[in-house]
């Protein structure tokens, strides 16, 4: 059973381990291998710790999934959401007040397909409803077919927005997805608790 709770500062190293492993698994062959190999859990954890309090002050909500597949309360997934970052949304994005953004969602690669990501996403949807956001948006690497199917199954649709990020000089295209408040979700909700 997977449970979702708010992240605490002490979760930074575990979140970073999930994030780095997630990047290496999801983006192999898309982002240059040298960039992925150079990623460091320790450096990423230092950034997470540094940004944690500032993120809370800016209205971000960090959530962690624990307890999946015998993990005994260890962090096995992480999601971050908050108010839509309209300055970087791009021209014609249709962004308005009352929209949220899913900034990140990562699951330990060996637990993909076991409901961890779904439990996190359901908790993000609960957060969006509690804040009264009319829609949620997210950016996903265009070549990440697995992630795109996951979001589409949860009611997200590509809305035509696109951007590129460079990694070691290689442009990687991202596409924007949107889900209006109240859009139906497929499948039963996963057990979760926000303590």
């Amino acid at each position: 059973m997977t449970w979702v709770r708010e992240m605490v500062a002490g979760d930074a190293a575990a979140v970073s381990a999930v994030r780095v492993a997630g990047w290496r698994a999801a983006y192999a062959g898309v982002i240059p291998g040298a960039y992925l190999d150079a990623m460091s859990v320790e450096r990423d954890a230092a950034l997470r710790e540094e940004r944690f309090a500032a993120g809370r002050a800016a209205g971000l909500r960090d959530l962690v999934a624990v307890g999946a597949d015998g993990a005994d309360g260890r962090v096995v997934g992480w999601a971050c959401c908050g108010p839509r970052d309209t300055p970087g949304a791009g021209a014609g994005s249709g962004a308005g007040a009352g929209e949220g953004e899913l900034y990140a969602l990562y699951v330990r690669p060996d637990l993909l397909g076991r409901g961890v990501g779904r439990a996190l996403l359901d908790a993000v949807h609960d957060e969006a409803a509690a804040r009264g956001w009319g829609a949620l948006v997210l950016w996903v690497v265009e070549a990440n077919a697995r992630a795109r199917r996951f979001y589409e199954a949860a009611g997200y649709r590509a809305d035509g927005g696109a951007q590129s990020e460079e990694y070691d000089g290689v442009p990687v295209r991202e596409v924007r997805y949107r889900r209006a408040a109240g859009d139906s979700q497929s499948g039963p909700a996963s057990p979760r608790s926000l303590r």
Side-chain angles (χ1 to χ4, degrees):
M1 186 175 293
T2 300
W3 296 98
V4 174
R5 64 169 171 79
E6 275 195 83
M7 180 180 164
V8 297
D11 292 325
V15 163
S16 292
V18 168
R19 184 177 175 277
V20 169
W23 268 67
R24 289 178 176 158
Y27 304 134
V30 176
I31 291 176
Y35 183 92
L36 296 174
D37 291 343
M39 291 181 78
S40 159
V41 171
E42 294 76 19
R43 280 193 311 273
D44 193 78
L47 284 173
R48 298 287 132 236
E49 289 170 1
E50 181 182 309
R51 295 177 179 170
F52 184 69
R56 278 195 168 175
L60 299 186
R61 181 100 188 259
D62 288 287
L63 304 167
V64 293
V66 296
D69 199 35
D72 299 326
R74 287 177 288 156
V75 171
V76 295
W78 166 65
C80 179
C81 66
R84 176 117 186 249
D85 183 14
T86 53
S93 66
E99 288 191 340
E101 186 163 349
L102 174 60
Y103 293 105
L105 193 154
Y106 293 96
V107 172
R108 209 173 74 189
D110 63 316
L111 295 176
L112 290 173
R114 297 193 186 173
V116 177
R118 185 50 189 240
L120 281 165
L121 192 57
D122 286 347
V124 167
H125 294 161
D126 289 348
E127 179 73 10
R131 292 197 192 191
W133 292 331
L136 270 171
V137 297
L138 61 87
W139 291 93
V140 62
V141 171
E142 186 174 43
N144 190 344
R146 182 182 189 127
R148 293 180 71 178
R149 285 190 306 269
F150 171 75
Y151 292 122
E152 289 166 1
Y156 289 83
R157 298 294 173 255
D159 70 1
Q163 64 185 14
S164 287
E165 296 282 335
E166 278 199 20
Y167 299 93
D168 285 349
V170 175
V172 175
R173 186 174 160 89
E174 298 176 335
V175 292
R176 189 176 56 219
Y177 274 63
R178 174 182 301 275
R179 180 183 186 271
D183 279 359
S184 64
Q185 301 173 28
S186 63
S190 300
R192 62 189 184 280
S193 170
L194 291 177
R195 296 181 251 145

